[in-house]
Amino acid sequence: MKMTKRVLAVILAALLVVATFVGCSAKDNGTKDEGAKVKLGLITLHDENSTYDKNFIVAAQEAAEKMGVELVQKNNIEEGQACYEAAAELVDEGCNLILADSFGHEGYMIQAAKEFTDVQFLHATGTQAHTEKLANFHNAFSAIYEGRFLAGVAAGEKLNEMIEAGKITADKAKMGYVGAYTYAEVISGYTSFYLGAKSVCPTVTMDVTFTGSWYDETAEKEAAQKLINNGAVLVSQHADSMGAPTACENAKVPNVSYNGSTESACPETFIVSSRINWAPYLEYCIQAVKDGKAIEADWVGTVADGSVQLTDFGKKAPAAKTVESVEAAKKGLADGTIHVFDVKAFTVTVTADKNVNAKVDADGHLTSYMADVDSDAAYTADTEVVKDGYFHESEFRSAPYFDVQIDGINLLDVNFG
């Protein structure tokens, strides 16, 4: 009988432990469902006057409202130690999820991540998360090259309309492009835009000029005017002010903008704009922190998840076939019948100082390209990115690494790396 009571006591004790554990689990699950408290911090290079930064600000506001979290902003933070200081201030203010939006912020965000290990740091457009391997530092981008390709299709149809109307001849179908720097991000962008136009207007060529700044309204306006003076009949840009669209509106030259519609200021010339919608990424990260889950080191948004978008088309400037052609291209991208960097869609010239990491066939089509995916200081080529007939952009890290100089695109200057 004593043994029976002893066994009973053991059983009762075990049941008590189980009941206690279940009770704790129920409490933990309730907390998890509620989610850990999140306070979002945002660091931007400029403010709402920059189309690029405004795009982030709007997305952060939308995500914070939807997810029910507080947002604290630090705007006009230069690419220097001020970024680390802004990040540290946000930590002091209770932020446990912090995003910086400019390429040059990355090193300072990494510095902050190493110091404040209980805070999650996000960096848009950066390249080092996959090599730094910090649990609390993450890069994000989107397949914006697909959005630029679609915007290029709209540009190509405008060129076709101008040719059919006798405004230009096919050999004068020259576009211009205002770029900020000669980074892979910009090269990938202007090349995908050009290839979109070329897919519907085979005679198109393009001049590219650089300003050496992400935001310089005067320089961007002057650059667009230089392109127009040099024969460009349509202009696009990867720079953040209203400089280029304004120059186009003044000259009555069609324009494809970036990061948002410019139709209200440029009603006669605005065709369309591609943009990254950062709200899905921020919502994903906020939920991950609430749930105590890891955030991807390199996250890539797509058309499918709403991260890559085109604005509404302009009311006056687009050609009649624009919507039809863009929708067809969008379907091709979605079902895999179109790849933006299909090696058969362009040719490459290899010289001692140009495309040295490329191998081409007798027709000039890429057969191999070793890209600098790991982004070391020496820009060492480390990863084969051509397979299955196309260049695999943003698959080995989120930030673009397409830096091939293809035929048909003429760089007017190159000293802005």
Side-chain angles (χ1 to χ4, degrees):
M1 193 67 176
K2 283 184 179 179
M3 182 62 69
T4 304
K5 286 181 178 178
R6 187 176 178 185
V7 170
L8 220 71
V10 170
I11 292 170
L12 287 170
L15 288 170
L16 182 61
V17 170
V18 170
T20 303
F21 178 77
V22 170
C24 289
S25 295
K27 185 177 180 182
D28 289 345
N29 284 340
T31 302
K32 184 177 179 181
D33 289 342
E34 244 176 65
K37 185 176 180 181
V38 179
K39 190 172 183 178
L40 175 63
L42 175 65
I43 298 171
T44 64
L45 182 60
H46 301 108
D47 54 28
E48 292 90 343
N49 291 311
S50 159
T51 55
Y52 177 81
D53 297 282
K54 182 179 180 180
N55 197 39
F56 277 92
I57 292 167
V58 171
Q61 291 170 343
E62 289 177 355
E65 182 177 1
K66 179 177 178 179
M67 302 298 288
V69 304
E70 184 179 349
L71 170 66
V72 183
Q73 295 185 48
K74 299 285 184 182
N75 305 124
N76 295 304
I77 304 300
E78 65 183 21
E79 296 176 319
Q81 195 63 25
C83 177
Y84 164 78
E85 293 168 0
E89 289 171 6
L90 288 169
V91 173
D92 287 342
E93 293 176 44
C95 294
N96 55 351
L97 181 65
I98 301 172
L99 169 70
D101 77 347
S102 194
F103 185 80
H105 287 150
E106 184 167 31
Y108 305 96
M109 291 291 280
I110 291 171
Q111 179 186 353
K114 289 178 177 178
E115 181 173 347
F116 306 107
T117 55
D118 57 344
V119 175
Q120 296 296 318
F121 291 88
L122 315 173
H123 181 250
T125 77
T127 63
Q128 299 180 54
H130 77 293
T131 50
E132 287 288 334
K133 299 186 185 305
L134 298 173
N136 66 327
F137 179 73
H138 319 277
N139 288 144
F141 213 92
S142 79
I144 188 59
Y145 57 92
E146 292 188 343
R148 288 206 185 262
F149 181 89
L150 295 174
V153 170
E157 288 296 4
K158 184 63 178 180
L159 295 174
N160 286 338
E161 181 184 74
M162 295 165 77
I163 293 168
E164 291 166 9
K167 294 182 178 179
I168 60 171
T169 54
D171 62 325
K172 299 296 183 183
K174 180 195 283 191
M175 301 189 299
Y177 197 98
V178 179
Y181 294 96
T182 50
Y183 296 156
E185 178 185 342
V186 180
I187 298 170
S188 177
Y190 69 62
T191 306
S192 52
F193 174 72
Y194 171 77
L195 290 173
K198 187 176 175 64
S199 71
V200 295
C201 180
T203 62
V204 66
T205 59
M206 187 167 77
D207 286 348
V208 182
T209 189
F210 303 93
T211 62
S213 171
W214 288 117
Y215 186 95
D216 186 328
E217 187 159 6
T218 299
E220 291 164 36
K221 189 173 184 179
E222 291 175 350
Q225 191 60 55
K226 177 173 74 173
L227 292 165
I228 293 167
N229 293 345
N230 204 43
V233 297
L234 183 150
V235 173
S236 188
Q237 73 272 348
H238 190 164
D240 301 337
S241 82
M242 285 293 295
T246 300
C248 289
E249 185 73 3
N250 292 342
K252 297 297 180 283
V253 170
N255 175 254
V256 173
S257 58
Y258 184 47
N259 280 322
S261 173
T262 58
E263 184 172 28
S264 61
C266 308
E268 300 297 323
T269 56
F270 172 73
I271 295 176
V272 73
S273 172
S274 58
R275 65 181 288 262
I276 298 174
N277 175 19
W278 289 100
Y281 177 61
L282 288 170
E283 291 165 19
Y284 153 73
C285 292
I286 290 168
Q287 192 62 52
V289 174
K290 283 186 175 184
D291 293 344
K293 294 181 178 178
I295 297 171
E296 290 182 48
D298 271 275
W299 183 92
V300 181
T302 64
V303 173
D305 68 20
S307 297
V308 178
Q309 298 180 339
L310 291 184
T311 64
D312 291 338
F313 294 100
K315 295 180 179 64
K316 296 183 178 181
K321 288 181 61 178
T322 299
V323 174
E324 177 187 345
S325 293
V326 169
E327 287 303 315
K330 188 184 294 185
K331 182 178 182 297
L333 291 172
D335 65 21
T337 56
I338 294 176
H339 294 285
V340 171
F341 298 111
D342 185 331
V343 296
K344 297 299 184 185
F346 59 91
T347 58
V348 174
T349 300
V350 179
T351 64
D353 61 349
K354 179 179 172 183
N355 298 320
V356 294
N357 297 322
K359 293 181 181 178
V360 300
D361 62 20
D363 296 319
H365 298 131
L366 274 181
T367 58
S368 171
Y369 194 81
M370 294 297 290
D372 176 31
V373 172
D374 290 344
S375 259
D376 58 290
Y379 300 103
T380 307
D382 50 60
T383 305
E384 175 60 65
V385 293
V386 174
K387 59 180 180 177
D388 304 321
Y390 65 99
F391 185 110
H392 288 247
E393 177 69 301
S394 294
E395 292 185 25
F396 297 96
R397 73 172 190 224
S398 56
Y401 39 80
F402 184 98
D403 59 358
V404 186
Q405 295 182 46
I406 74 169
D407 299 334
I409 299 177
N410 176 42
L411 305 186
L412 302 184
D413 40 55
V414 294
N415 298 319
F416 295 103

